[in-house]
Amino acid sequence: MSFRNISLVNIGEMDNKCTFCGAMRFKRERPGICCANGKVKLEPFRNPPNYLKNLLDGNHAFSKHFLSNIRTYNNAFSFTSFGTSVKRPTVSGFQPVFKIQGKVYHLIGSLLPPETADQAKFAQIYFIGSNEDKLQLRMSFDDTLKSEIITELEKIMQKYNSYAKSLKYAMKKLNSDSMKEFQITYYT
């Protein structure tokens, strides 16, 4: 079914260009909403590292797999977990995309992983020493993930992601005595 022919749903094409920043917008969008009439200036996007660019552009043998599972790969590298104070509603016949009432928060756990590396989650995975352990933890997230992609994305995260680099640096700066205060019981 095409929604383009239904006037209540079709909001048109993004074919109006902002005169200040060049952003594309819909016909009825207020001019300057993108950049506050030129007051906000963003740096242009940098090209992603070659491996990631090839995956995204379809120029890699695993591109189709990666693009079909991109959200799963993103989740495997997440620093936090999304949480809410209200349980997800159950509705018969369909599952709502999202319905939240109450607080929204991100769960990060402790800076250091529990005693055994196989229990590390989220940002903790970035701090376990063995690349093989990191790979296994990320691969256990979902059985559709490919180890070659995980390995290369891990390298990219360590080299380019400012959060991964900052947390790794903080970890190196702390001595073994002061690190004990950062290790707390991980929540479930």
Side-chain angles (χ1 to χ4, degrees):
M1 175 181 201
S2 174
F3 292 103
R4 291 189 181 274
N5 301 328
I6 302 173
S7 62
L8 293 173
V9 177
N10 186 350
I11 59 173
E13 301 294 326
M14 290 182 77
D15 54 5
N16 289 326
K17 194 172 190 176
C18 175
T19 56
F20 298 102
C21 69
M24 300 304 291
R25 56 184 179 79
F26 293 102
K27 182 179 181 179
R28 293 186 183 162
E29 276 187 297
R30 195 181 50 162
I33 193 170
C34 47
C35 64
N37 294 321
K39 293 177 187 168
V40 175
K41 298 192 186 307
L42 300 176
E43 290 182 35
F45 284 120
R46 290 181 283 179
N47 285 330
N50 283 336
Y51 184 82
L52 183 56
K53 185 170 180 9
N54 289 334
L55 283 173
L56 293 169
D57 289 346
N59 298 325
H60 191 280
F62 293 141
S63 287
K64 186 174 181 179
H65 162 80
F66 179 73
L67 293 171
S68 296
N69 296 283
I70 196 165
R71 188 171 187 159
T72 307
Y73 281 100
N74 186 54
N75 289 338
F77 284 89
S78 66
F79 288 90
T80 64
S81 174
F82 181 81
T84 179
S85 59
V86 176
K87 299 286 185 199
R88 185 176 179 177
T90 51
V91 180
S92 63
F94 72 97
Q95 287 294 320
V97 174
F98 232 85
K99 185 175 182 180
I100 295 175
Q101 295 173 329
K103 291 182 180 180
V104 173
Y105 50 90
H106 286 89
L107 306 171
I108 192 168
S110 67
L111 180 61
L112 297 178
E115 294 296 321
T116 57
D118 65 334
Q119 295 175 340
K121 298 200 182 341
F122 310 120
Q124 296 170 346
I125 296 174
Y126 290 90
F127 302 117
I128 57 178
S130 164
N131 285 336
E132 185 60 33
D133 286 342
K134 290 178 190 177
L135 174 64
Q136 293 308 315
L137 280 168
R138 295 194 196 288
M139 292 294 295
S140 69
F141 187 81
D142 190 296
D143 61 357
T144 60
L145 300 177
K146 295 194 179 296
S147 62
E148 179 186 315
I149 295 175
I150 292 289
T151 300
E152 292 301 316
L153 292 177
E154 180 73 38
K155 291 175 189 175
I156 290 169
M157 290 293 285
Q158 292 297 336
K159 185 173 181 179
Y160 297 103
N161 186 282
S162 61
Y163 296 117
K165 290 189 327 189
S166 295
L167 292 172
K168 196 74 166 180
Y169 178 77
M171 207 52 173
K172 287 179 182 178
K173 284 296 194 186
L174 295 172
N175 64 38
S176 60
D177 291 335
S178 65
M179 294 212 334
K180 288 182 179 153
E181 70 185 84
F182 292 102
Q183 193 162 13
I184 57 175
T185 305
Y186 188 77
Y187 59 89
T188 56

